[in-house]
Each structure stands twice: as C-alpha cells, then as structure tokens.
Amino acid sequence: MKVAVVGTGYVGLPTGVGFAELGHDVVCIDKDDRKIADLKAGKITLFEEGLEELFKRNAANGRLKFTTDMKSGVSDAGFIIIAVGTPPHPITKEADMKYIYAAAEELAPYISKYAVVANKSTVPVGIGDKVEKIIKTKNPKADFDVVSMPEFLREGFAVYDFFNPDRVVVGTNSDRAVKTVKELYSVFKETPNILFVERRSSELIKYASNAFLAIKIHYINEMADFCEKVSANVYDVAKGMGLDSRIGNKFLNPGPGYGGSCFPKDTNALAYMARNHECDLSLVEAAIFGNDVRKSRMALKVLDAVKDIESPKIAVWGLAFKDGTDDVRESPAIQIVSELVNRNANVIAYDPKAIETAKTILGDSITYADDALSATKGADVLAALTEWQDFKKIPLANLQMRNKRIVDLRNIIDPKVAVAEGFNYKGIGR
Ligand code: NAD
C-alpha cells in the first residue's frame, strides 16, 4: 500500500520508517525544507533508539522517500497519515489546530483514489468532523474517509512501541476504512490488537489516557513529598501499592514532575475542552496545577542545598524531559535550570543527547559540558535532572567537586554510596 505521512517529527518519522520496514511504500512529507534535505541526504533528524538503522535501510531500498511536495507525496496514496504538531495556545492552552487545518487543506486536492485520511496527531474531540469538512470543501470529488488513529508511542521507545503496540485505536464508522486499516496492519508479524470505536470516542481515548497517566505520576510525586515528611520510603510505598493488580506497578516513579511534548499539553487541552463544555475535571486541573508548582519547588530544593554559598556553581546532569530522547519540550530540567539561572546561579550542564535541542531554549545562559564528569568539576552541587542510565555508572569517587553535595531529583544515585563517599545527598521521597 502507498502510505503518505504528513509531518515528519517525533511521531511521523518513526511511523513512516516502521511502515516502510514492514513493506509498505512510504512517502514522508514535511514543510520544513531543512529537515527533508537532511533526511534525503541520509541524515536522521531526531534521536530514537534503533531508528537510524531502520531509516537508512529503508531509504536505501527505496521503500522510504521524503519530500516537501504534497502533490507527489499524496497522489496515489491509499493511506494518508496526518502527524503534524498540535501545540498549546500560549494563553488559553487549548490545542492549536492551525497545522491540522493547513495540512488538510494542502493534501485535499491531491486525493486521487479512495484514501483513508488518518489523524494521528492528538486533536480535541470533533476535529475529525472538521478535517472531513475541509477536505470535502477543497476537493468535492475526493473519495475518502477521515479516521481518528491516535498515537500512543513513548518517546525513547518509539521504535519498540511501533512494532509492539499495546493497542491500536481507530475511530470510524466506515466499513471501507475498517478494511483499509486492517490491510495496513496486515503486514505486522502478529496483528496488533485494533480497537474500532466511534471517531469522537477515539479522539477522547487519547486525552483520557494521557491525563490518567499524568495524574498517576502526580499522585506518586505527592506521596513522595509526604514520605519525606514522615520518614517513609516512597519505593516501599510504591511497591506495596503496585502489587495490587488494580493499581499496577507502572508510572509509580517519583521525580521532578511530568514533562515532555504530551502530558502537559494534553492535560491542559483536555481541561480547556471540559471547561468549554461546562464539565468539571477537577482531578485533571489539580494535576496540572500541582505539576507546574512542583517544578519551581524542585528548583528551590536545588538552591536550598547551596544557600550558604554566594553565586554557587551548579552542575546539572540531564536536560531532556526523560532518558532515551533529545526532546526538551516542557522538560522539567529546562524549567528548573531556567529558574536557577534567574536566581543568578552559575549552571554547567551535560546531557548525552539533548545539548543541541536545549541550546535552542537556554542559549548561552548556561555552560554546556562535553561529558558528565567535566560538568561536575569545581561544582558546589550536582543536580541530577534526567534519568539517563549512563549517569548511574559514573563512580562518585571520580567527581572533583568544590562541595560534595547532590540533589538527585530522579533518584538515580544510590544514597548509601553517596553518603559513604562523603556526599551530602538529597533525593525524592526517601
Ligand atoms: P513534531 O513537532 O515533532 O513534528 C511535526 C512536524 O509536522 C514538523 O516537522 C512540522 O514541520 C510538520 N508540519 C507541520 N505542518 C505541516 C504541513 N502542513 N505539511 C507538512 N508538514 C507539516 O510533532 P510530534 O511530536 O511528532 O507530534 C505530532 C502529533 O502527535 C502531536 O499532535 C502530538 O501531540 C502527537 N503525539 C506526539 C507524541 C510524541 O511522543 N511526540 C506521542 C503521541 C502523540
């Protein structure tokens, strides 16, 4: 099947690469000339474990192509996936649909045979209807169905999740679309669990899932704070909770707050939608507020560790919003570093993958180190902000700090080892 993917970012690229690897003919379309030029030249534009190898193989065998030209990308495609951004509006925080509407307008004229237009971007309930209307208006002769096909991949595991999805959710009432979706997924070795529902329900499943996960993270973060007050250990608490199969043991890791391109954006967009429908989502609202405040509190926790030092030098390990990615969108690390800088701290940071993306936000307000050890040289405190596994392997004895203090907001350092090495150690919830 010829598959067109409109938008070649963190979702579109792994999706396009994945379908090419499974044998479909894929064209990835993006309006970003530089991105497409790099991809055409064989240069991958984002970091995801295992993606580069698959990208190179399928670009070389001709099953994966890249273009900025909507016409050549979409013509003859039987499956058109929209994977453009749906960023938050800067003031209202509602999901901004301008890229979705523009993509629909631009692709509509080139639908040349029956096609499923699948919306993989996260969109508010009812946007499928609007996309359908835009395409019908632009190209009244087009033979197509718009389906909702929300993406659930985890950044850092995008390749694994593409080939091993927990479920594929598809929102449609059209039998033809159901048949085409089944054909698209028939190339999987083991056909994924596909849940067909109404389009609007599918659109909401994405928001309901992300909000639930965000609330779960916020809940364990609050429990971690309480553990600190009553000298309990949040890991024991989480283990005891997680053994209950109704609760489960996932997403019970305390930290500096959730971040990334999805949870903050999607919880805000859901809350906005609900307010518009005069529906009270107080749990979602509480998680949004609590998580925002938390990141500032975490910056204060770092500063508290060096309150006796004028112009402290703060070494930061990690800028990405989590390990395994170069994505810094809504990264707690970026917000914490910004607050440290605003309070005149001298920050030197290292991240294995996200230095370049972090520079686009933090610029030269901080210094960037070439490796984790050199970041800590002469520092007054080490703040661990992203849970990169490699940080765990660094012997604390090798750190040449002016003051031996650690604020570990990801609990990646063993407190016993830190204390044995003479560090003043503060973690989260233990
Ligand atoms: P992204 O910003 O990384 O990529 C979007 C791409 O779309 C950009 O390269 C942009 O240039 C391109 N684009 C925008 N308008 C276009 C147009 N008219 N024609 C062609 N290209 C166009 O975004 P992303 O992180 O991949 O997210 C895409 C969507 O998927 C969002 O709605 C997001 O909420 C959702 N989502 C993201 C993730 C994730 O892990 N990042 C997971 C699940 C769902």
Side-chain angles (χ1 to χ4, degrees):
M1 188 186 299
K2 181 176 168 187
V3 179
V5 183
V6 182
T8 311
Y10 284 90
V11 167
L13 188 58
T15 302
V17 168
F19 280 125
E21 173 71 10
L22 291 175
H24 291 305
D25 283 321
V26 178
V27 184
C28 289
I29 306 152
D30 206 287
K31 61 178 187 178
D32 183 335
D33 297 331
R34 233 179 59 191
K35 204 177 260 189
I36 292 298
D38 279 350
L39 291 165
K40 274 182 163 171
K43 196 172 152 207
I44 192 121
T45 44
L46 55 89
F47 174 74
E48 267 296 338
E49 194 67 51
L51 185 63
E52 189 164 10
E53 188 195 332
L54 298 184
F55 155 73
K56 288 198 162 144
R57 178 159 67 230
N58 288 284
N61 69 25
R63 277 208 300 266
L64 180 65
K65 296 195 177 74
F66 298 95
T67 184
T68 52
D69 176 35
M70 194 66 89
K71 185 175 179 184
S72 63
V74 164
S75 301
D76 296 330
F79 212 95
I80 303 165
I81 294 171
I82 299 179
V84 300
T86 49
H89 184 281
I91 296 162
T92 63
K93 310 271 183 178
E94 69 191 289
D96 189 342
M97 289 299 105
K98 66 172 180 266
Y99 300 115
I100 294 284
Y101 296 154
E105 291 217 2
E106 290 158 20
L107 70 85
Y110 309 116
I111 295 177
S112 56
K113 61 174 198 184
Y114 174 73
V116 166
V117 178
N119 208 346
K120 238 184 196 315
S121 299
T122 305
V123 296
V125 180
I127 293 301
D129 306 359
K130 293 199 176 156
V131 168
E132 189 174 299
K133 201 167 160 201
I134 289 171
I135 297 175
K136 264 189 194 145
T137 309
K138 269 265 159 192
N139 183 357
K141 288 194 189 137
D143 185 15
F144 71 101
D145 280 305
V146 172
V147 310
S148 158
M149 212 165 88
E151 179 55 69
F152 298 98
L153 64 77
R154 297 163 301 164
E155 276 184 45
F157 299 90
V159 173
Y160 177 85
D161 286 350
F162 176 85
F163 291 106
N164 306 279
D166 283 345
R167 80 301 205 190
V168 173
V169 173
V170 178
T172 182
N173 283 332
S174 153
D175 292 342
R176 248 197 324 172
V178 168
K179 197 167 156 253
T180 311
V181 168
K182 285 184 176 165
E183 193 187 329
L184 180 77
Y185 280 94
S186 65
V187 291
F188 275 67
K189 256 194 216 139
E190 219 173 284
T191 310
N193 178 12
I194 306 180
L195 174 70
F196 290 100
V197 292
E198 295 273 332
R199 194 161 63 196
R200 284 174 175 241
S201 304
S202 169
E203 288 167 337
L204 186 51
I205 284 171
K206 174 66 192 174
Y207 283 107
S209 302
N210 272 1
F212 186 85
L213 294 172
I215 289 168
K216 198 169 179 190
I217 295 171
H218 184 59
Y219 184 79
I220 200 65
N221 283 342
E222 287 196 332
M223 285 303 127
D225 293 347
F226 190 52
C227 282
E228 286 176 25
K229 299 280 181 203
V230 297
S231 297
N233 184 325
V234 69
Y235 289 99
D236 291 342
V237 174
K239 194 170 180 188
M241 287 167 62
L243 287 171
D244 184 329
S245 59
R246 294 169 302 176
I247 297 173
N249 59 9
K250 303 237 173 85
F251 272 65
L252 290 177
N253 284 322
Y258 60 77
S261 70
C262 290
F263 291 164
K265 167 173 92 68
D266 294 348
T267 44
N268 273 303
L270 177 60
Y272 178 88
M273 255 189 282
R275 267 182 251 125
N276 259 356
H277 287 85
E278 289 166 17
C279 179
D280 180 21
L281 295 187
S282 59
L283 267 182
V284 179
E285 300 271 11
I288 293 168
F289 176 76
N291 192 63
D292 278 350
V293 173
R294 181 171 191 79
K295 291 182 244 175
S296 303
R297 282 196 13 241
M298 293 296 118
L300 292 179
K301 187 166 174 149
V302 176
L303 288 170
D304 191 57
V306 283
K307 61 175 184 255
D308 54 324
I309 300 168
E310 214 175 299
S311 278
K313 187 173 169 192
I314 299 176
V316 163
W317 280 359
L319 294 166
F321 86 91
K322 64 177 199 172
D323 63 335
T325 180
D326 59 356
D327 198 346
V328 295
R329 289 178 287 182
E330 295 279 342
S331 169
I334 297 287
Q335 190 172 331
I336 291 166
V337 167
S338 303
E339 296 209 18
L340 299 177
V341 170
N342 287 343
R343 288 162 200 261
N344 293 325
N346 195 347
V347 176
I348 174 157
Y350 171 71
D351 188 288
K353 295 286 175 201
I355 298 261
E356 291 312 313
T357 43
K359 276 183 184 169
T360 63
I361 301 173
L362 296 170
D364 56 9
S365 64
I366 64 165
T367 307
Y368 301 91
D370 292 332
D371 57 71
L373 261 190
S374 63
T376 58
K377 208 165 182 189
D380 295 301
V381 64
L382 163 62
L385 304 187
T386 310
E387 68 277 34
W388 286 101
Q389 296 306 302
D390 282 354
F391 293 154
K392 290 185 180 171
K393 297 178 196 149
I394 298 169
L396 294 181
N398 293 357
L399 270 51
Q400 295 173 1
M401 295 174 63
R402 183 162 62 184
N403 282 295
K404 294 180 95 174
R405 302 173 190 183
I406 294 174
V407 178
D408 184 2
L409 301 181
R410 296 288 189 170
N411 289 346
I412 53 168
I413 293 164
D414 185 335
K416 284 193 193 121
V417 175
V419 171
E421 288 290 344
F423 283 86
N424 180 327
Y425 175 92
K426 284 199 171 59
I428 300 269
R430 56 178 183 173

